[in-house]
Amino acid sequence: MNPFSSGTRLRDMIRSIRACKTAAEERAVVRKECAAIRAAISENDQDYRHRNLAKLMFIHMLGYPTHFGQMECLKLIAASGFPEKRIGYLGLMLLLDERQEVLMLVTNSLKQDLNHSTQYIVGLALCALGNICSAEMARDLAPEVERLLNSRDPNIKKKAALCSIRIIRKVPDLSENIMYPAASLLKEKHHGVLISGVQLCTELCKASRDALEHIRRNCTDVLVRILKDVSNSSYAPEYDIAGITDPFLHIRVLRLLRILGQDDADSSEAMNDILAQVATKTESNKNAGNAILYECVETIMGIEATSGLRVLAINILGRFLSNRDNNIRYVALNILMRVISVDTQAVQRHRTTILECVKDTDASIRKRALELVFLLVNDTNAKPLTKQLIDYLQVSDPDFKEDLTAKICLIVEKFSQEKLWYLDHMFKVLSLAGNYVKDDVWHALIVAISNAPDLQGYSVRSLYRALQASLEQESLVRVAVWCIGEYGEMLVNNIGCLDSEEPITVTESDAIDLVELALKRHTTDTTTRAMCLVSLLKLSSRFPPTSERVKEIVTHHKGNVELELQQRSIEFASIIQRHAGIKSTLLERMPVLDEASYLTKRAGSTQTTASGDSKSAPSGDSKTTSAIKVPNGVAKPPPAVSMPNLIDFSIDDGPVAPTTNTTTSDPHNFMQDLIDIDLPSSPPSGGESAPTVSADIIDLLNFGTTPVQNGPPASSPFPTTTTKSTVLETKPTPLPDLIDSLTLTSSSVEEKPENKSITAFQSNNLKITFSFKKQQEKPQDTLIHATFTNLSSNAYTDFIFQAAVPKFLQLHLKPASSNTLPANGNGTITQDLTVTNTQHGQKPLAMRIRMSYKVNNNEKQEQGQINNFPSGL
């Protein structure tokens, strides 16, 4: 016989394919065999049809096309013998799917076989229908399957139930026809029929609300009895697994009970006792028992169970956490994360075990346990939990330090009731894992230190000690050099010592030495080195005798290849050498930053980032505002009505707060405000009025031609201005210095009003008029006097005006004259604004405004865009 004729046996073809050494040889064998099968099909060879189809199925499993043999499946199905039908149905399930049009031709054969007198042929038809049934076939054959659910043969009942699951998934409308015979399957004694019936009832509950109510009303007690019988039954070898009778039936029944008891108190009450019995009697030393306990816990937490039963379920999860199997512990952590919102106190009892899981060697368990610990933290346990996590931070794996550090910082920020506790723990985190601390965390720490005048001396001394111990932690270096630059005299003179603090002896030279060492050590990070240079410049003002040494250190970086450092070196050296007269004013302490405002910006930017659309997501959404944390160490205020931010310009940074003198800036880059040289408009904390300096002070870049680098400058949190050039110069040519012409004055420049005014906004309820003034020496600045008039017959209370401008504009708002606007124009509210146009003469002013107020305790809002500003502003 030809080895590749249609009469070749299946085993011979498999042997020939496996003997191939290359893919090309295999393709050749398959190609010849397929050619022989095609020839046999064309000759209508009936003797070897079943053998050819068997070989086609093997070739199909190897990944070769076999569509030419689909009709052979139908011919074998139409045959009368069981062997041919068996091969035909097997080929039908393998070679075809519900999308094939050929499948329509088999519907009649299936209907005949479902009515066949031989149970095995009926079983073949049910099996095939349950695998490839389409919606059309389901509608045509559902009556036959429904009839077979009442068959006397348990195997037929079981297969009919499984086939019905497929029918319901394809056509949910057929649920009402199947739910009655499905409920009767739960009275069977055969476990195979029971499992199939329970699965069918579960699918019916998901597909139809009517079916759910019917099964809940008529089958809950039956299911409870089934679970009780199988739990209390004696040893049955045909169903026994690891000493437990039919754990599969246990699990299926528990899942169905969970669906029936959800949001239904009566059904839940009926199953409470049996759930408690299963939870207490099931052994947990075998996997089968653990699987039942897991489903039992899921069911208890999913229904309207009693509090005692919930505690029992959570205690089972606590036992799971002590299991040596990592999979069981991970599953327990997952469930505990879901149920902590239901019964927090019960989960808190297992806090010690959960903390041990944080130290597990398995990375997945560590991360999940850390997330659970974070959810467990509250005001009462925050301190001990934080201490334990920080202790573990010292010995944790480097791969885990980033996640652990982030969670500790969140806990410390969220639950700190005392500034001192917050600062101490943040300093510990910076010392142990400063390289893993994110920028917004140490930014917030600097803001908190600036807002704690009583603890600034303590902070700078603590950071000095930490920096002496380790210069390797980048975030620690940044915060420490900033504090040393700002509060260096407190460090040297031991100002503000606490009772529990040991004084230290630090000379001016010691402070310079430490910052210089940090500057030399961190040679790869531009931001850290730039902060060190700023710190040294400020120390030259705090400690005048060290000016020459600071100048030498700073001048050393004039030839640095980093544009940022080179530029700062040139500027700072010129300030020290040539402008001693204004240096002390220029380098005064930074004004106290509004901690609540910063936290608001930070929370808003975090929410926007999480949404994945920073341009369209409003950062002032009420949900976001309600989650904003108050400054560290400050008691939480009662909830207040949130003020939504303005709708964005496409290039806006965000709205300006209504009563603070802030400029529009990126909330992520708040360090621009920290190091910005622009002096405050309000008196410093000492109470004395600080002299104002002309805006030309900000332009410190005219000391020489600014060098340029080949690419864009490295990102830095410090404000810089760059000038385009074509050559990288290490010795810039000096140009006339603008600072030489500066004059300090305690009053503003004489103003010359230009008497320009416009109606900026008008509606049926409100009118806004803008009048403008200019300063001759500052043509880029425009002073706007806004007047608000109420056109309605109702008085407005809690009146707030907000404004947003594009990035090329800077906006300062002064406090409004009042927050109550009388009705019918009987009074006005005035508010002054200052707008600085950095592209004066090139781009006109543009502004978007929003007004919010209350009318009879009802909140109202109006908004608009102003584009009709006079030219020349």
Side-chain angles (χ1 to χ4, degrees):
M1 182 181 294
N2 186 339
F4 295 110
S5 70
S6 63
T8 307
R9 293 183 301 176
L10 176 62
R11 69 180 66 181
D12 293 333
M13 186 194 73
I14 295 174
R15 190 178 293 114
S16 300
I17 291 175
R18 289 181 175 175
C20 297
K21 296 181 179 180
T22 63
E25 290 182 14
E26 179 184 294
R27 287 195 296 271
V29 171
V30 172
R31 191 162 47 246
K32 291 179 181 179
E33 187 63 46
C34 287
I37 294 173
R38 282 195 186 94
I41 290 174
S42 62
E43 295 173 2
N44 197 20
D45 186 355
Q46 300 182 8
D47 295 336
Y48 296 107
R49 181 172 285 158
H50 62 284
R51 180 181 292 179
N52 290 339
L53 188 57
K55 289 189 288 185
L56 275 178
M57 285 188 280
F58 183 79
I59 293 171
H60 172 79
M61 288 187 288
L62 293 177
Y64 295 97
T66 56
H67 56 277
F68 58 87
Q70 291 176 349
M71 290 303 297
E72 294 299 290
C73 297
L74 274 61
K75 293 177 182 178
L76 286 174
I77 291 172
S80 59
F82 174 76
E84 290 81 5
K85 284 184 179 291
R86 182 176 60 177
I87 295 295
Y89 278 120
L90 182 59
L92 183 73
M93 290 183 283
L94 283 177
L95 305 183
L96 283 82
D97 57 47
E98 61 181 275
R99 295 167 294 179
Q100 301 288 340
E101 294 182 359
V102 179
L103 202 61
M104 297 175 60
L105 302 176
V106 81
T107 303
N108 190 52
S109 297
L110 280 169
K111 188 169 185 177
Q112 292 179 0
D113 289 343
L114 289 174
N115 292 304
H116 203 279
S117 58
T118 304
Q119 61 170 340
Y120 303 109
I121 294 177
V122 176
L124 289 175
L126 287 170
C127 188
L129 188 61
N131 278 279
I132 62 168
C133 173
S134 63
E136 291 79 8
M137 294 175 66
R139 289 189 180 92
D140 293 338
L141 300 176
E144 278 69 24
V145 177
E146 182 183 347
R147 177 182 55 81
L148 291 173
L149 286 172
N150 297 316
S151 172
R152 294 182 179 179
D153 190 301
N155 289 323
I156 297 297
K157 281 186 178 181
K158 178 177 66 176
K159 293 185 178 182
L162 296 175
C163 182
S164 299
I165 294 175
R166 171 86 177 198
I167 291 174
I168 293 169
R169 289 175 180 171
K170 292 297 175 183
V171 188
D173 294 342
L174 297 174
S175 300
E176 60 182 21
N177 299 329
I178 298 178
M179 62 183 180
Y180 294 102
S184 65
L185 293 178
L186 301 180
K187 300 176 183 178
E188 295 288 330
K189 299 296 183 182
H190 192 280
H191 281 210
V193 178
L194 272 178
I195 289 180
S196 302
V198 170
Q199 286 182 268
L200 177 57
C201 290
T202 303
E203 199 66 34
L204 284 167
C205 293
K206 295 177 182 178
S208 170
R209 182 70 185 179
D210 293 338
L212 172 61
E213 293 299 331
H214 173 78
I215 294 173
R216 178 180 286 160
R217 187 170 54 252
N218 299 294
C219 300
T220 301
D221 294 336
V222 177
L223 290 167
V224 169
R225 179 182 53 79
I226 293 172
L227 189 56
K228 185 178 296 184
D229 291 344
V230 74
S231 299
N232 297 328
S233 63
S234 58
Y235 173 75
E238 63 271 27
Y239 303 127
D240 182 81
I241 296 179
I244 297 175
T245 302
D246 205 344
F248 301 103
L249 182 58
H250 271 95
I251 290 170
R252 292 293 180 185
V253 173
L254 286 169
R255 288 180 181 174
L256 181 53
L257 287 175
R258 181 160 72 246
I259 295 174
L260 299 179
Q262 188 173 7
D263 300 326
D264 188 271
D266 293 336
S267 298
S268 299
E269 185 178 357
M271 59 185 77
N272 277 338
D273 292 341
I274 186 59
L275 290 176
Q277 181 180 336
V278 172
T280 53
K281 289 186 61 177
T282 306
E283 298 179 4
S284 60
N285 57 352
K286 297 291 179 64
N287 266 346
N290 287 327
I292 294 173
L293 288 174
Y294 168 80
E295 288 296 336
C296 188
V297 170
E298 287 272 30
T299 302
I300 291 172
M301 304 311 297
I303 67 172
E304 303 294 323
T306 60
S307 59
L309 199 55
R310 291 184 187 275
V311 171
L312 176 61
I314 293 173
N315 289 340
I316 293 173
L317 296 177
R319 294 206 307 269
F320 279 1
L321 292 177
S322 304
N323 199 296
R324 290 181 296 178
D325 191 324
N326 288 346
N327 294 321
I328 294 176
R329 280 186 290 169
Y330 186 81
V331 164
L333 290 170
N334 268 338
I335 305 179
L336 285 172
M337 288 190 66
R338 297 203 306 269
V339 306
I340 189 171
S341 59
V342 179
D343 195 339
T344 306
Q345 290 302 320
V347 181
Q348 289 281 5
R349 297 190 188 101
H350 304 280
R351 191 174 66 211
T352 304
T353 309
I354 296 169
L355 273 170
E356 289 302 316
C357 291
V358 175
K359 306 173 185 178
D360 197 87
T361 55
D362 187 276
S364 300
I365 292 177
R366 282 203 308 260
K367 289 186 177 182
R368 189 61 71 190
L370 182 61
E371 292 172 4
L372 182 55
V373 168
F374 181 73
L375 295 177
L376 286 173
V377 180
N378 54 38
D379 291 331
T380 58
N381 61 22
K383 291 185 178 181
L385 275 177
T386 304
K387 182 181 183 303
Q388 290 177 292
L389 291 176
I390 290 178
D391 291 342
Y392 177 61
L393 184 61
Q394 302 180 35
V395 296
S396 61
D397 294 338
D399 295 339
F400 189 52
K401 276 187 185 291
E402 183 175 358
D403 293 332
L404 185 56
T405 302
K407 292 298 184 186
I408 293 174
C409 292
L410 284 174
I411 293 171
V412 173
E413 289 180 352
K414 186 176 180 181
F415 296 98
S416 60
Q417 298 296 328
E418 304 169 359
K419 285 261 186 181
L420 182 60
W421 184 84
Y422 166 76
L423 294 175
D424 283 340
H425 285 78
M426 289 305 299
F427 295 160
K428 287 181 183 178
V429 173
L430 290 178
S431 302
L432 295 173
N435 291 331
Y436 301 94
V437 173
K438 295 181 180 179
D439 286 349
D440 62 330
V441 174
W442 64 266
H443 290 177
L445 177 59
I446 287 179
V447 174
I449 293 173
S450 71
N451 279 271
D454 297 338
L455 297 174
Q456 288 168 352
Y458 171 78
S459 298
V460 69
R461 285 187 291 275
S462 300
L463 289 166
Y464 181 84
R465 292 191 189 96
L467 196 58
Q468 278 185 317
S470 174
L471 282 166
E472 305 301 326
Q473 307 298 335
E474 191 173 89
S475 296
L476 173 65
V477 174
R478 293 179 180 180
V479 177
V481 298
W482 187 89
C483 286
I484 291 172
E486 290 293 319
Y487 316 115
E489 70 279 8
M490 290 185 170
L491 173 65
V492 172
N493 300 323
N494 279 320
I495 298 175
C497 279
L498 302 180
D499 295 338
S500 59
E501 183 184 1
E502 295 182 4
I504 59 173
T505 302
V506 180
T507 64
E508 297 175 353
S509 179
D510 291 338
I512 300 291
D513 288 341
L514 190 58
V515 177
E516 181 184 12
L517 185 60
L519 181 62
K520 292 179 179 178
R521 181 69 61 90
H522 290 266
T523 57
T524 59
D525 186 72
T526 303
T527 300
T528 303
R529 299 174 74 190
M531 292 184 72
C532 290
L533 289 176
V534 174
S535 178
L536 288 170
L537 177 64
K538 292 208 169 189
L539 288 176
S540 71
S541 176
R542 309 284 188 271
F543 311 140
T546 64
S547 293
E548 286 301 318
R549 184 184 172 195
V550 170
K551 177 187 170 186
E552 292 177 4
I553 299 172
V554 170
T555 306
H556 178 71
H557 293 274
K558 278 189 175 181
N560 199 293
V561 295
E562 291 283 348
L563 174 63
E564 175 78 19
L565 300 178
Q566 184 185 121
Q567 178 176 323
R568 287 179 184 277
S569 176
I570 295 170
E571 295 170 0
F572 295 171
S574 180
I575 291 173
I576 295 172
Q577 182 177 358
R578 302 171 59 187
H579 304 289
I582 67 167
K583 185 173 69 171
S584 59
T585 305
L586 193 66
L587 302 177
E588 284 185 347
R589 279 191 197 170
M590 289 301 304
V592 176
L593 300 168
D594 189 348
E595 188 172 6
S597 175
Y598 168 71
L599 291 174
T600 302
K601 289 182 179 180
R602 181 182 174 193
S605 61
T606 303
Q607 180 73 12
T608 304
T609 303
S611 69
D613 187 359
S614 59
K615 288 187 177 181
S616 62
S619 61
D621 182 74
S622 60
K623 293 182 180 178
T624 305
T625 308
S626 63
I628 292 171
K629 187 189 177 301
V630 296
N632 289 298
V634 179
K636 299 177 182 176
V641 179
S642 61
M643 191 66 207
N645 287 338
L646 293 175
I647 309 300
D648 63 73
F649 283 102
S650 61
I651 56 174
D652 283 344
D653 285 325
V656 178
T659 58
T660 58
N661 294 331
T662 57
T663 58
T664 54
S665 61
D666 186 354
H668 291 290
N669 205 6
F670 90 104
M671 287 295 288
Q672 289 182 358
D673 297 331
L674 283 179
I675 313 299
D676 197 354
I677 305 175
D678 191 10
L679 292 181
S681 58
S682 58
S685 58
E688 300 179 0
S689 299
T692 59
V693 184
S694 171
D696 291 333
I697 285 185
I698 299 177
D699 189 1
L700 297 177
L701 304 181
N702 288 322
F703 297 120
T705 304
T706 305
V708 73
Q709 56 190 9
N710 292 333
S715 61
S716 171
F718 304 96
T720 60
T721 308
T722 57
T723 306
K724 293 184 178 178
S725 178
T726 56
V727 181
L728 179 65
E729 297 180 359
T730 58
K731 295 183 179 180
T733 304
L735 294 176
D737 197 337
L738 292 181
I739 296 185
D740 290 335
S741 62
L742 294 177
T743 57
L744 297 177
T745 176
S746 59
S747 61
S748 59
V749 181
E750 187 74 23
E751 296 180 356
K752 290 188 177 181
E754 299 190 9
N755 297 324
K756 295 180 180 179
S757 63
I758 62 170
T759 299
F761 175 86
Q762 184 165 354
S763 66
N764 295 331
N765 304 320
L766 186 65
K767 179 181 179 180
I768 304 175
T769 304
F770 281 1
S771 58
F772 306 93
K773 294 182 181 180
K774 298 288 289 186
Q775 296 179 359
Q776 286 187 348
E777 296 187 8
K778 295 183 180 179
Q780 71 274 19
D781 288 356
T782 302
L783 306 179
I784 302 176
H785 183 75
T787 303
F788 306 91
T789 305
N790 184 355
L791 304 179
S792 71
S793 58
N794 297 312
Y796 297 162
T797 59
D798 295 345
F799 186 90
I800 295 177
F801 171 72
Q802 291 182 298
V805 295
K807 285 185 178 179
F808 67 87
L809 301 176
Q810 292 182 347
L811 177 64
H812 297 262
L813 278 83
K814 294 183 179 179
S817 60
S818 174
N819 65 349
T820 302
L821 191 57
N824 299 318
N826 293 328
T828 61
I829 294 177
T830 60
Q831 189 167 3
D832 292 333
L833 302 80
T834 302
V835 180
T836 302
N837 190 347
T838 60
Q839 299 190 26
H840 178 69
Q842 301 178 20
K843 291 186 178 182
L845 299 187
M847 185 181 298
R848 182 160 291 184
I849 59 175
R850 172 176 288 173
M851 292 67 63
S852 64
Y853 49 86
K854 289 184 178 179
V855 181
N856 298 326
N857 288 327
N858 294 323
E859 293 185 14
K860 301 288 185 182
Q861 289 183 356
E862 296 189 52
Q863 62 184 25
Q865 185 166 335
I866 307 174
N867 295 316
N868 60 335
F869 286 98
S871 60
L873 299 182

